Amino acid sequence: MRIRHFAYISLMALALSGCNDALETAQVDLSKVKNKVEQPLPSHILAQMSAKGMDRNSPIMIRIFKEEGAMEIWKAKTDNRFDKIADYKICAWSGRLGPKVKTGDRQAPEGFYDLTRANLNPNSKYYLAINTGFPNRYDAANGRSGSDLMIHGACSSSGCYSMTDQQVLEIYAFARDAFKGGQATVQLQAFPFRMTAENMVKHRLDGNYDFWKMLKVGYDNFEVTKRPPEVNVCEKKYVFNQQATDGSAFNAAGKCPAMSTPPALTAALASYGKTYDADYAKAMSKFDGMAWYDPTEAERKAVVAKTRKGRELAYAPTGTSLEAGRMVKVAELEDLMAKRTAQGLAAKAAPGATPVAPAQPPAVAVAAATPAVVPVPMQNPLAFAAPEPQETAEAVAKKPFWKFWARN
């Protein structure tokens, strides 16, 4: 009995220590890995795939949630629906909640990105890497800049999503196997947080709220269908699962064509929306006069400072926003943000100062509970065809999302 009790305590201590151990499924001894590019997925994951009705080389999708520092791998089952097969605790991401806007702002991307086989970097100095594809068509249409933003190992980030080497070895293997199976593009969905009604209310005063409402449309589409949405861009906005009724091409900066939504999907989203609206009203009552304070990168690092002891200097984990942030009164939030803005301006004005990303101002008014129309990015990972050139008039020779939806 004592031995069992001691073992339980030891396991709990292990789960609560370190940067990634709580969700670390990758326990490979890297010193024994002979070929990291072809390292197979561990047997326990292959067993889970079999139990869930997944083929080893079936399509995948990647989801990121900054606030809780989580990365998820979703994989297609034999019924063409996706199910979660693995999740990881992100070791480090820089900046704060909100999209990347320009080179040097230290922000990690938010949005919908298509990853091709060319995005895999087997020779990264950060063990292994997958380029996020930033900037995509939406980013480019909105004048956003930046390059070489990766998912990589080494647990050190400056605009990237950094994992442990063991984790990125596994994530790389998921993508590699999917590409070998014929998947043309893997969809990466990067969100600031899980877009529940409660989270939307908590963040309703953030200056990025309108952008997040747009992303939420794509989030909702996946929650309803459990398939990566078809993503396009027009009028500098993302649009999801929309069919151009006149056969026109989507132009990122141009006017949106006449569009329609598959009837079955419209009905499913309406039902989902009713539940969301009710939950939003409850959350508004629960958090009346309160809003979320989004911590700075320095504040997130402070909560995990102890984990750096005894590690190499390059090891730079960041805690989650949930650990370092908090709910505050609206007046207090406005005061905190005003101070942060003043500090940022002072730092930028100092001689030889490093550019500081501008603070995100609170929104002047709370936006509507239900997201407005439309969002952005790329091809459906279910399409096993060569990627379509951006902004061409030629139709893509692949089954669109709505045909899969209608069939199933």
Side-chain angles (χ1 to χ4, degrees):
M1 187 67 181
R2 286 183 177 180
I3 294 175
R4 184 182 301 172
H5 182 67
F6 177 77
Y8 174 78
I9 293 175
S10 299
L11 286 172
M12 288 298 294
L14 177 63
L16 293 173
S17 66
C19 176
N20 292 302
D21 294 337
L23 286 178
E24 179 69 270
T25 59
Q27 298 291 345
V28 177
D29 182 351
L30 296 180
S31 66
K32 296 181 180 179
V33 174
K34 296 181 180 179
N35 185 347
K36 62 184 179 182
V37 174
E38 295 299 332
Q39 175 71 14
L41 287 165
S43 57
H44 72 273
I45 287 184
L46 296 177
Q48 290 177 45
M49 286 184 191
S50 179
K52 288 175 176 283
M54 299 170 176
D55 183 80
R56 179 172 181 169
N57 297 117
S58 69
I60 67 164
M61 186 194 80
I62 303 174
R63 285 212 300 184
I64 287 173
F65 299 101
K66 277 186 179 179
E67 187 170 65
E68 62 187 80
M71 180 179 292
E72 300 174 344
I73 305 296
W74 289 68
K75 195 166 180 66
K77 300 185 294 184
T78 52
D79 63 358
N80 287 325
R81 296 292 198 275
F82 281 60
D83 196 1
K84 188 168 67 173
I85 187 64
D87 53 11
Y88 307 92
K89 185 175 179 182
I90 298 171
C91 198
W93 59 271
S94 58
R96 299 176 55 239
L97 300 186
K100 182 168 187 64
V101 175
K102 62 182 180 180
T103 302
D105 64 5
R106 290 186 58 81
Q107 287 292 108
E110 292 176 7
F112 290 74
Y113 296 85
D114 273 357
L115 315 178
T116 69
R117 190 187 295 266
N119 290 71
L120 301 183
N121 181 4
N123 302 311
S124 172
K125 63 180 180 181
Y126 299 107
Y127 196 70
L128 289 169
I130 304 175
N131 193 309
T132 62
F134 180 94
N136 60 22
R137 285 177 288 164
Y138 171 86
D139 300 320
N142 285 276
R144 296 179 175 178
S145 63
S147 61
D148 300 324
L149 301 173
M150 308 281 182
I151 296 169
H152 60 67
C155 191
S156 179
S157 174
S158 181
C160 298
Y161 292 105
S162 185
M163 318 300 291
T164 63
D165 292 350
Q166 288 89 348
Q167 287 175 326
V168 79
L169 180 71
E170 208 166 270
I171 296 164
Y172 191 98
F174 273 115
R176 177 203 64 219
D177 288 354
F179 288 133
K180 284 184 177 180
Q183 186 172 9
T185 55
V186 170
Q187 190 172 96
L188 166 64
Q189 302 177 357
F191 298 106
F193 43 77
R194 295 187 188 275
M195 309 201 92
T196 63
E198 187 163 296
N199 279 341
M200 294 300 287
V201 168
K202 288 166 65 176
H203 293 279
R204 69 193 184 280
L205 298 182
D206 194 288
N208 294 299
Y209 190 72
D210 285 342
F211 172 72
W212 292 339
K213 284 199 301 177
M214 182 176 62
L215 297 188
K216 186 181 181 300
V217 180
Y219 177 93
D220 291 350
N221 271 257
F222 178 74
E223 289 298 304
V224 166
T225 67
K226 287 300 183 284
R227 293 202 189 99
E230 286 282 352
V231 186
N232 277 295
V233 189
C234 56
E235 298 178 8
K236 300 184 180 182
K237 297 178 289 188
Y238 282 115
V239 289
F240 302 101
N241 290 330
Q242 294 296 299
Q243 184 175 16
T245 56
D246 60 359
S248 299
F250 286 89
N251 186 307
K255 182 177 175 59
C256 290
M259 300 180 295
S260 65
T261 306
L265 179 57
T266 298
L269 287 170
S271 176
Y272 183 89
K274 286 182 180 178
T275 301
Y276 172 81
D277 290 344
D279 290 343
Y280 191 97
K282 291 178 182 177
M284 282 294 291
S285 177
K286 177 180 179 180
F287 297 120
D288 183 33
M290 305 288 287
W292 180 258
Y293 169 71
D294 179 32
T296 63
E297 181 181 347
E299 289 170 322
R300 289 191 294 113
K301 285 183 175 180
V303 301
V304 293
K306 291 182 179 179
T307 65
R308 299 191 66 176
K309 292 182 178 179
R311 305 294 294 261
E312 60 274 16
L313 292 176
Y315 181 76
T318 55
T320 71
S321 296
L322 293 179
E323 293 172 300
R326 64 188 186 280
M327 291 296 291
V328 298
K329 292 182 178 179
V330 170
E332 182 183 352
L333 177 63
E334 292 173 345
D335 183 54
L336 287 168
M337 297 306 290
K339 289 179 179 178
R340 183 181 292 172
T341 300
Q343 291 171 353
L345 292 173
K348 290 175 73 174
T354 302
V356 178
Q360 308 290 343
V364 176
V366 178
T370 305
V373 226
V374 319
V376 52
M378 328 192 159
Q379 297 167 308
N380 190 334
L382 289 174
F384 297 103
E388 174 195 13
Q390 293 183 9
E391 312 303 337
T392 60
E394 291 78 21
V396 184
K398 64 185 180 69
K399 277 190 176 180
F401 168 88
W402 42 88
K403 290 188 178 179
F404 282 111
W405 171 258
R407 186 184 69 187
N408 291 291

